[in-house]
Amino acid sequence: MKLTLLSSIILLPFTLALAKGGNSKLLINPPAQPSLPSISEAESAANAVGLNLTNIQGDILIGMKKKKELFFFFGIVDALAFKSNLKAHILPLVTPIPPLLPGGTSPTTALNIAFSQNGFDALNITDNLGDAPFANGQFVGASGLGDPGTVNWIPPFTGNKIHGVILLASDTIDNINNTLIDLKSGLGQSITEIYSLQGAARPPPEEGHEHFGFLDGISNPAVQGFRDPSPGQAVVSPGEILVEDSSRPPWAQDGSFLVFRQLEQLVPEFNKFLADNPIRAPALTTQQGSDLLGARMVGRWKSGAPTFLSPLVDDPVLGNDTSRNNDFTYAAPGQNQSDPTDQSHTPFSAHIRKTRPRADLGLPEKPKHHIVRGGIPYGPEQSEDEIRSNTTKTERGLAFVCYQSSIAAGFQFLQQTWANNVNFSKTDTGFDPIIGANRGAPRVVNGLDPTLPSRRFTIMTDFIVSRGGEYFFSPSLSALATTFSA
Ligand code: N7H
């Protein structure tokens, strides 16, 4: 009797937590991020459009919600042995979407796998996926993305060594390491380990925030057949994210292109820039002026509240309210709703306005050029020494991951045609001050100071440094069982 009482006291907080968030234990659920649909909601949405969620690798639609995630990059040494090991040892562990949803049978460690073009070549899979950036690999396209060549790239990403990546997600690194041991023994000599990057959600109270301090993973598109949109969320057809068109090989259906970028963030240097350049307004302290500059560079405050709805100071209640924190178009009442010309609340150059211009390209919003972001921070918190010296001494950043059905129309377009384009979406807006890249040269950014719209900022430091990456294809479970298996 005593034991029953005791166990119900212990279990109660757990039950309440499940009732509130209901997420798999592998995932975080900060209030500012829209919750995932329940398994039954997702299944009925999928049935309505004929999407087979159990055939799709789970990470593709889950978003920036993993607690811990390891990226294990490998080369294939023996293609035949790899194909048979894949079938016997990896495929049974590959996690599709439903187990990760509230109400799903969450595994201890979730596993996904994806292959580069070099991996396709190693496996002698010759079908053309019809995606030029994928076929060429990221190393070849580095300068086109605005990287200063590959001088800052870590050696594993240079050349054509990486054939595939295995993504392992769990609530503890021990679980991940245990799965990795099993995995390596299953794959034996058929692969060679090239590189691993361990990511982790930042510790509370920063859980869900990227290293500059901003809540991330708020705005991902609602994919029809997976979820209903929350207010302001872009709605896209499954074919924007998943390969669905008949010009691609039939086995590629239900797969998606995975872009991986190891993006180092120079956090002390970023903070120094904000401290040195506060926006001066009579109503603001110097600190508030620096915070405002940072918020306008992103388009959101650290809490996630959009500057469009809270233009002068952060509003954490708004930030945490998923019914309001994404519900805006950049068109203020009284303005031309399909061509807003005003940047008093959010600069045209702000990171989220460059990468999703909403009404700037006319309403209703175009269903093109959307990606599902699924990355995770890596590296430690800043040390006292780094804060004091305004200098990064240990690498930290974002293990950037995004999914799309075309890299040219997704990641590559957002980076090259919007973020790096000083004339997007209006003439002379300058670079996206967060991810805009000018091959290492200074970046001019306009519109950041609402008190002086003509003030031009010339940013001498890249606060985000590309350490390289690769383009992958994340096949469906049925393709893994056939095309990729022997
Ligand atoms: Fe970005 N950041 O801290 O400033 N991003 N991003 N991103 N990003 C977003 O709205 C960040 C990167 C997009 O729908 C937020 O969910 C950092 C790349 C898109 O309104 C924050 C890095 C690309 C959106 C950051 C980085 C994008 C978005 C606000 C690298 C594509 C949604 C949270 C270290 C090429 C826009 C949110 C929308 C949002 C940051 C990379 C794209 C805080 C630090 C490489 C599409």
Side-chain angles (χ1 to χ4, degrees):
M1 176 65 187
K2 260 192 190 153
L3 198 65
T4 321
L5 186 65
L6 188 65
S7 58
S8 57
I9 291 169
I10 294 168
L11 281 177
L12 189 64
F14 177 67
T15 320
L16 286 179
L18 271 184
K20 182 177 157 273
N23 263 354
S24 149
K25 65 182 188 312
L26 317 184
L27 305 177
I28 59 170
N29 196 21
Q33 290 182 352
S35 301
L36 290 168
S38 72
I39 196 161
S40 52
E41 286 164 345
E43 274 167 359
S44 70
N47 288 340
V49 300
L51 205 60
N52 181 0
L53 296 178
T54 54
N55 197 31
I56 301 168
Q57 295 204 53
D59 196 46
I60 297 172
L61 297 181
I62 294 305
M64 305 184 77
K65 283 184 174 287
K66 275 78 61 177
K67 282 187 181 160
K68 318 271 181 210
E69 187 174 20
L70 181 83
F71 300 88
F72 176 83
F73 299 93
F74 61 91
I76 296 165
V77 178
D78 178 339
L80 212 58
F82 175 81
K83 282 184 164 185
S84 101
N85 291 337
L86 176 77
K87 187 164 209 166
H89 303 292
I90 312 265
L91 192 55
L93 302 178
V94 174
T95 315
I97 293 170
L100 297 172
L101 301 179
T105 54
S106 171
T108 307
T109 304
L111 183 152
N112 276 198
I113 186 167
F115 299 89
S116 67
Q117 178 66 57
N118 290 309
F120 275 47
D121 296 347
L123 293 171
N124 197 25
I125 298 173
T126 53
D127 289 339
N128 182 357
L129 282 189
D131 192 279
F134 172 77
N136 294 331
Q138 201 177 112
F139 180 59
V140 171
S143 306
L145 295 173
D147 291 11
T150 51
V151 281
N152 298 321
W153 282 41
I154 56 166
F157 291 124
T158 58
N160 53 11
K161 303 181 238 337
I162 292 177
H163 293 163
V165 58
I166 295 176
L167 287 59
L168 297 172
S170 189
D171 54 340
T172 71
I173 291 181
D174 280 352
N175 287 343
I176 290 179
N177 287 340
N178 289 337
T179 310
L180 191 62
I181 290 169
D182 292 348
L183 206 74
K184 282 184 183 170
S185 88
L187 289 169
Q189 305 297 311
S190 67
I191 60 150
T192 172
E193 175 174 358
I194 292 184
Y195 176 58
S196 292
L197 183 65
Q198 178 67 61
R202 292 182 59 204
E206 295 299 319
E207 192 178 67
H209 296 245
E210 52 66 57
H211 276 293
F212 292 144
F214 296 87
L215 205 293
D216 210 349
I218 300 167
S219 186
N220 258 334
V223 175
Q224 285 166 331
F226 177 59
R227 66 170 313 141
D228 291 334
S230 56
Q233 204 176 7
V235 178
V236 297
S237 69
E240 181 73 0
I241 306 302
L242 298 160
V243 167
E244 283 205 316
D245 62 296
S246 52
S247 65
R248 319 277 186 109
W251 60 259
Q253 312 289 306
D254 286 349
S256 184
F257 290 98
L258 183 173
V259 170
F260 181 87
R261 297 267 281 166
Q262 180 170 332
L263 297 175
E264 180 177 10
Q265 292 177 254
L266 304 186
V267 181
E269 291 82 351
F270 176 80
N271 288 336
K272 170 99 168 53
F273 175 77
L274 300 186
D276 288 347
N277 296 283
I279 287 167
R280 307 229 179 249
L284 300 178
T285 63
T286 309
Q287 178 64 52
Q288 285 174 323
S290 293
D291 294 346
L292 177 58
L293 177 64
R296 287 179 65 87
M297 288 165 75
V298 175
R300 289 189 185 273
W301 296 92
K302 288 189 170 172
S303 74
T307 58
F308 188 76
L309 299 180
S310 184
L312 276 185
V313 285
D314 198 353
D315 178 349
V317 175
L318 167 64
N320 278 340
D321 183 349
T322 51
S323 71
R324 294 189 294 140
N325 69 11
N326 207 13
D327 194 12
F328 57 95
T329 64
Y330 303 119
Q335 282 197 358
N336 179 346
Q337 296 300 299
S338 282
D339 185 18
T341 50
D342 180 75
Q343 56 177 341
S344 62
H345 289 197
T346 308
F348 288 112
S349 55
H351 175 54
I352 65 164
R353 195 163 182 174
K354 280 271 190 185
T355 55
R356 183 186 166 200
R358 303 184 190 222
D360 291 336
L361 295 185
L363 289 180
E365 189 176 353
K366 307 262 178 312
K368 292 231 65 73
H369 310 305
H370 291 280
I371 55 176
V372 172
R373 292 172 300 128
I376 188 166
Y378 70 90
E381 296 294 295
Q382 291 179 88
S383 67
E384 287 301 323
D385 179 25
E386 290 178 297
I387 295 171
R388 221 178 307 114
S389 63
N390 300 313
T391 312
T392 298
K393 305 218 165 142
T394 312
E395 182 171 346
R396 64 181 58 74
L398 185 71
F400 176 84
V401 170
C402 72
Y403 292 96
Q404 57 262 284
S405 58
S406 155
I407 297 173
F411 164 74
Q412 192 190 59
F413 191 90
L414 267 53
Q415 182 71 57
Q416 287 182 2
T417 312
W418 286 352
N420 297 355
N421 179 352
V422 295
N423 292 314
F424 182 78
S425 65
K426 297 268 186 288
T427 310
D428 205 22
T429 53
F431 286 87
D432 172 334
I434 301 294
I435 64 162
N438 194 17
R439 298 185 188 169
R443 301 170 300 147
V444 168
V445 183
N446 292 320
L448 292 179
D449 189 340
T451 67
L452 194 60
S454 60
R455 181 172 166 197
R456 294 167 80 81
F457 285 74
T458 302
I459 304 182
M460 307 302 288
T461 310
D462 284 347
F463 304 118
I464 291 178
V465 177
S466 161
R467 308 281 281 143
E470 187 50 289
Y471 297 139
F472 299 95
F473 184 71
S474 179
S476 67
L477 276 80
S478 55
L480 286 172
T482 52
T483 312
F484 293 83
S485 286

